Amino acid sequence: MKSPWLNKLSRNFRSRSPFKWLLLCLVSVLVVIALLGSSSSTFNSVTSSVKNDIYTNYRKLKEQARSDYLELKSLAVGENQIKDVGVCGKERENCVPCYNVSANILAGLKDGEELDRHCELSREHQYCLIRPPKDYKIPLSWPAGRDVIWSGNVKLTKDQFLSSGSIMKRLMLLEENQIAFHSQDGMMVDDVKDYSHLIAEMIGLGSDTEFLQAGVRTVLDIGCGFGSFSAHLLSLNLMALCVAAYGSSGSHVQVALERGLPAVIGNFISKQLPFPSLSYDMVHCAQCGIIWDSKDGLFLIEIDRVLKPGGYFVLTSSTTQQQGSSTGAKKGIMSTPLEDFTKKLCWSLLEQQDETFIWQKTVDSQCYTSGKQDTIPICKGQDMQLYYQPLAHCISGTGSDRWIPIHSRSDSMNSTELKVHGVYPDNFFEDSEFWKSAVRNYWSLLSPLIFSDHPKRPGDDDPLPPYNMVRNVLDMNAHYGGLNAALLEAGKSVWVMNVVPLGVHNTLPLILDRGFAGILHNWCEPFPTYPRTYDLLHGNGLLSHLESQGCSIVEVLFEMDRILRPEGWIILSDKLGPIEKVRMVATQMRWEARATAAWPRLNLDILLDG
């Protein structure tokens, strides 16, 4: 005879509908998996010294449990943030959001501002994947890819290449579907090495190999052509960042990035560049098309703002030559109005050789207020969070603790310089050690995945160490630039664009003072670059930051897909919650996701194959 409790249980079983039974089973499974996940997290925290084989098996089990949990969760709550992710139209193959000339003209913008960046006028939320052109090919590995690119990968046509006349563009050989830039063999029109050597002599050096000894480590190359000068400076271990205007029919920025050279879109029209004051040791312009004495000297004032004390402004322009004296080889023979502006800026004209002029910024911050000449007013307040603000008619940086002449800096960050940036040496050292370990782990994870997941293309051999798998790296939340430093120390042939997001402690001055490339950016907006320009995207804590700022993680993921090259990789390290969201969206975006076990200070890493 059954007990009353069993009779009651039997009646309850018979009374439940099939749907309720399914729901009860689903909830039960979720509870069990959640408990397993909790216990595995505890297990992870106390088994850091267990043998590698045990750790690997545990990681696989943990990944599978999380995968099952996410699939069940999606079914249970019907969560599906995006539907029917398709491929964008052909017209978006080379699109750069925020640069919509037609919309800007309709909004009444003119005098060049219609060519500038206006995210507030052209915010697009089209959830589609931007596919490469029909004849797109994976770029050659570095350094071969620096000198040979596939013509189908960039929007510029061969006719546009041939008709371009900048002196900073090497002779290009057009063979079928390739564009070849001559390598360092001396067989170049407008020899870049000779030009670089001339600049070195004009600032008093014996050779351009002495740039580093003279304090020149970072160069901002405005309107860089196809990047030949920047490529040469990189061979001298200088960080040269190309900044050039957006071009609807093609861009030098796109070509430079295709060659594996640091570049970013930056229209020099109405807004300040997204760099803090005192950022660069040298600013270079060769036939960059800017009328420097227009707008009451605002462009020159902006150059003064980003130049470090004692830094150099190199200008090569036939227009300037026409304004100057025909005798041209002596100091101080510039004619007005450019001469008047440079004197107001406390610049000294070091020398003029034909079409090339070099000025040096003063190291005396009191020069701007001495009253010895018609001075320009000093800016009020700090500009540490400058983000595409209007050009300002005032001098910046004179009261900054970072007013340190380029000749007086040490080769590496010491405690005194860290104190200027408000960074404790112990924290800086801990961060550096962490990223050394992180880079080793990243590379050990990426190497077998890349070589096993992607069949070797015809004619390609497996690269020798240090494995030139990637060249262009975007660190989307760079902090101190530790990933950049660790990659360089490990001997990887990469360069890193270090992004400091709005809303975090602004470490961009520290990153630039370390000699790295960097930019301030708001990740609620698209990044100023062309599609398919980075091999590896990295974000440590980026997802949590996006949530705190109210940015859409889904929109940022589509932005990542836009700027990532085919066969590229994304590494995101964050808390479990944001990682869950990414994994659910990644499958709909046709990415392949691999979760790895937690590291110290991090909760979960996810590798995404784009």
Side-chain angles (χ1 to χ4, degrees), residues 201-501:
E201 289 184 336
M202 291 175 68
I203 64 176
L205 304 178
S207 169
D208 57 2
T209 58
E210 299 178 10
F211 275 137
L212 286 171
Q213 294 92 311
V216 178
R217 294 186 300 174
T218 57
V219 178
L220 184 66
D221 194 3
I222 298 175
C224 60
F226 297 137
S228 296
F229 185 54
S230 297
H232 177 68
L233 293 179
L234 287 173
S235 71
L236 302 176
N237 295 320
L238 275 67
M239 171 48 66
L241 175 63
C242 165
V243 174
Y246 165 76
S248 58
S249 61
S251 170
H252 297 150
V253 168
Q254 188 182 36
V255 175
L257 286 163
E258 188 68 21
R259 298 182 65 187
L261 305 174
V264 67
I265 298 175
N267 286 25
F268 212 94
I269 298 174
S270 62
K271 298 178 181 179
Q272 293 178 324
L273 298 171
F275 310 114
S277 299
L278 316 178
S279 295
Y280 289 94
D281 306 316
M282 178 183 287
V283 177
H284 172 263
C285 159
Q287 311 287 20
C288 60
I290 296 174
I291 304 176
W292 291 102
D293 52 13
S294 63
K295 294 191 176 183
D296 296 326
L298 281 178
F299 298 146
L300 289 173
I301 293 174
E302 176 66 358
I303 296 299
D304 180 83
R305 186 183 70 82
V306 300
L307 265 181
K308 293 179 180 291
Y312 304 96
F313 177 49
V314 180
L315 173 62
T316 298
S317 171
S318 57
T319 303
T320 307
Q321 168 67 11
Q322 293 171 5
Q323 292 178 352
S325 169
S326 59
T327 57
K330 300 179 181 179
K331 293 183 179 181
I333 56 174
M334 287 286 297
S335 64
T336 57
L338 204 55
E339 179 184 14
D340 294 337
F341 284 127
T342 55
K343 286 182 178 179
K344 292 179 182 180
L345 293 170
C346 293
W347 291 1
S348 301
L349 178 62
L350 295 183
E351 192 169 354
Q352 172 190 347
Q353 291 284 348
D354 297 326
E355 297 181 348
T356 300
F357 299 77
I358 299 182
W359 290 269
Q360 184 174 25
K361 179 175 177 175
T362 182
V363 298
D364 180 14
S365 62
Q366 302 301 316
C367 176
Y368 299 98
T369 57
S370 62
K372 295 181 180 179
Q373 65 276 322
D374 184 13
T375 58
I376 300 171
I378 304 298
C379 297
K380 296 180 181 179
Q382 298 294 324
D383 66 350
M384 297 295 286
Q385 285 284 1
L386 278 181
Y387 187 67
Y388 297 106
Q389 295 297 311
L391 292 169
H393 193 272
C394 58
I395 300 296
S396 301
T398 56
S400 172
D401 293 337
R402 296 175 56 240
W403 186 277
I404 303 173
I406 63 174
H407 310 86
S408 304
R409 292 182 318 215
S410 60
D411 294 334
S412 59
M413 280 286 154
N414 55 39
S415 58
T416 301
E417 292 181 347
L418 290 174
K419 184 178 179 181
V420 168
H421 294 282
V423 176
Y424 291 104
D426 290 345
N427 294 343
F428 185 80
F429 176 77
E430 178 188 354
D431 185 79
S432 299
E433 292 301 310
F434 169 78
W435 284 112
K436 291 177 185 177
S437 174
V439 164
R440 288 194 296 269
N441 285 326
Y442 285 161
W443 227 253
S444 65
L445 288 170
L446 282 173
S447 299
L449 292 175
I450 287 179
F451 294 127
S452 63
D453 290 1
H454 301 297
K456 191 165 59 177
R457 292 180 292 275
D460 286 358
D461 295 324
D462 290 340
L464 298 174
Y467 302 121
N468 295 324
M469 302 175 295
V470 297
R471 172 64 183 170
N472 301 353
V473 178
L474 181 66
D475 193 353
M476 302 173 72
N477 190 13
H479 198 42
Y480 297 149
L483 174 67
N484 193 155
L487 286 168
L488 293 179
E489 186 171 335
K492 308 303 181 185
S493 299
V494 305
W495 66 271
V496 180
M497 175 60 75
N498 296 278
V499 178
V500 176

Side-chain angles (χ1 to χ4, degrees), residues 525-559:
E525 301 174 351
F527 191 71
T529 192
Y530 285 82
R532 304 172 300 278
T533 51
Y534 284 93
D535 306 305
L536 174 65
L537 309 182
H538 176 266
N540 175 20
L542 174 70
L543 303 177
S544 296
H545 170 71
L546 294 175
E547 289 188 333
S548 69
Q549 297 294 302
C551 302
S552 168
I553 290 181
V554 174
E555 288 182 18
V556 174
L557 292 178
F558 275 91
E559 176 66 0

